[in-house]
Amino acid sequence: MNKILSLIFFSSLLYSCSVKQHADTETRLEVELDNSISPSFKEMFSSIEIIPLETRDNCLLMNVEKVIPCQKGYFVFDNLKPAFYVFDENGYFVKEIARKGDGPGEYQLISDAVTDEKNGKIYLLSPYGFLLEYDWDGNYVEKIDLPIKPNYYSMAILGDNENFALWSCVESEEDGITIINQHNHALVNSYWKNDRMLDMGLPTPFYVYNGKNYFASAYQSKVYNLRADSLVCNYYWDFGNNGIDDKKLLNYSKIENSGERNQKILQDLENGILPFAMDGTA
């Protein structure tokens, strides 16, 4: 292999923080951000496996946004190129699914990609309001138009294998999460109203853990169980004096100019006034 990008897989989480259970079943996870002692990988994970990914002229990885393991290898989504690649279990390049263009099965831009191994399907999400569906071999199937929104940044297939969840960064009076039936593509539900400048801090708010779907925003400490009919708070982070309360977030929302509001958020992050921002594995 001429050039290598390594995938590092961590398994069996060992490290834990303090956990307390509330009467309303929301779990509180207490973390002291001021603690200068960082746990080592050995404390957090029981095993680490490094798999080098082959790179060729037709597979130049620029910025890996997502890696999806499957039975025979790995799907890799590069959000800068953008492209969706297939590698075998040893990290050797197999093929690229889809290509840029204006024809059937082609795209100008994709913001996310998911796989449905159970039903043998692959979906690429365009921020311009449609999905491209392919079969497991990468053959184009169809284009699926989505409800009109100014953008679509992220998607997930819910655990029921019946619905898509799609996330858009929209104004506070609009619903940011849209639920679409996977089979007939009908609108099922929509919810989550929030200041779009606060949501912009986390463009990939969906993740899966132990077979369940979750949703989290950038500066709010709650993590929700993502369902077709609702969001249910599953747990929340308690950072003590380094927490971000609703009053602080409301002060940003009072800045009417969105550009100024975003600049203020970025400055406060840089200066430590906003002590944290969640990432996609919150």
Side-chain angles (χ1 to χ4, degrees):
M1 301 182 186
N2 297 325
K3 297 182 181 179
I4 292 177
L5 175 75
S6 294
L7 296 184
I8 303 178
F9 284 88
F10 306 100
S11 62
S12 300
L13 184 64
L14 299 177
Y15 181 82
S16 63
C17 50
S18 176
V19 177
K20 291 186 178 181
Q21 191 76 26
H22 274 275
D24 58 4
T25 72
E26 292 180 8
T27 300
R28 181 174 68 189
L29 304 180
E30 296 184 35
V31 180
E32 182 54 67
L33 294 182
D34 288 333
N35 192 341
S36 59
I37 301 175
S38 298
S40 68
F41 280 178
K42 289 183 179 180
E43 290 179 280
M44 294 189 290
F45 306 101
S46 62
S47 65
I48 300 174
E49 182 181 3
I50 301 176
I51 301 173
L53 294 184
E54 178 184 18
T55 300
R56 302 177 183 176
D57 289 341
N58 60 342
C59 177
L60 296 175
L61 295 170
M62 299 172 63
N63 187 64
V64 174
E65 176 73 18
K66 180 183 288 188
V67 178
I68 306 172
C70 63
Q71 277 192 335
K72 296 183 178 180
Y74 307 95
F75 293 96
V76 176
F77 172 48
D78 186 324
N79 68 341
L80 280 186
K81 197 166 183 181
F84 198 50
Y85 298 111
V86 182
F87 295 85
D88 69 15
E89 61 269 27
N90 297 311
Y92 286 97
F93 174 64
V94 177
K95 60 186 172 184
E96 176 185 354
I97 296 176
R99 59 190 184 277
K100 293 192 72 173
D102 296 312
E106 298 179 335
Y107 56 82
Q108 290 298 324
L109 188 63
I110 52 175
S111 53
D112 200 2
V114 298
T115 60
D116 179 1
E117 189 166 9
K118 178 180 178 180
N119 295 309
K121 295 181 179 181
I122 297 164
Y123 298 94
L124 304 186
L125 173 65
S126 168
Y128 304 128
F130 61 86
L131 295 175
L132 296 176
E133 180 185 323
Y134 305 83
D135 65 23
W136 204 244
D137 294 321
N139 301 307
Y140 173 67
V141 177
E142 66 173 328
K143 175 183 177 183
I144 302 169
D145 290 319
L146 302 173
I148 297 175
K149 290 281 181 74
N151 53 62
Y152 282 95
Y153 285 138
S154 185
M155 72 174 295
I157 297 177
L158 298 186
D160 57 14
N161 276 100
E162 293 290 331
N163 298 292
F164 297 122
L166 302 130
W167 181 77
S168 305
C169 190
V170 294
E171 298 297 339
S172 58
E173 63 270 14
E174 299 180 74
D175 291 322
I177 296 176
T178 305
I179 306 298
I180 301 294
N181 184 278
Q182 184 178 348
H183 307 292
N184 62 21
H185 313 146
L187 176 65
V188 175
N189 200 2
S190 62
Y191 43 76
W192 183 256
K193 290 180 170 62
N194 198 33
D195 190 315
R196 68 183 301 267
M197 291 302 164
L198 298 177
D199 275 348
M200 283 178 66
L202 182 55
T204 54
F206 299 137
Y207 71 98
V208 178
Y209 179 70
N210 278 347
K212 293 184 178 181
N213 299 89
Y214 293 91
F215 170 84
S217 61
Y219 310 110
Q220 290 145 312
S221 59
K222 289 187 176 183
V223 177
Y224 299 88
N225 185 209
L226 179 66
R227 304 174 183 176
D229 60 350
S230 62
L231 281 177
V232 178
C233 183
N234 191 262
Y235 64 90
Y236 71 95
W237 297 99
D238 183 352
F239 297 123
N241 294 332
N242 289 307
I244 302 175
D245 58 30
D246 292 339
K247 183 178 179 181
K248 180 178 288 187
L249 296 178
L250 182 60
N251 288 334
Y252 294 113
S253 298
K254 290 179 180 178
I255 303 174
E256 293 185 5
N257 184 283
S258 60
E260 293 178 4
R261 190 158 74 251
N262 190 50
Q263 187 62 32
K264 175 64 174 171
I265 291 171
L266 294 176
Q267 287 177 348
D268 286 356
L269 272 174
E270 183 177 352
N271 296 327
I273 297 172
L274 276 176
F276 70 84
M278 296 293 186
D279 65 17
T281 56

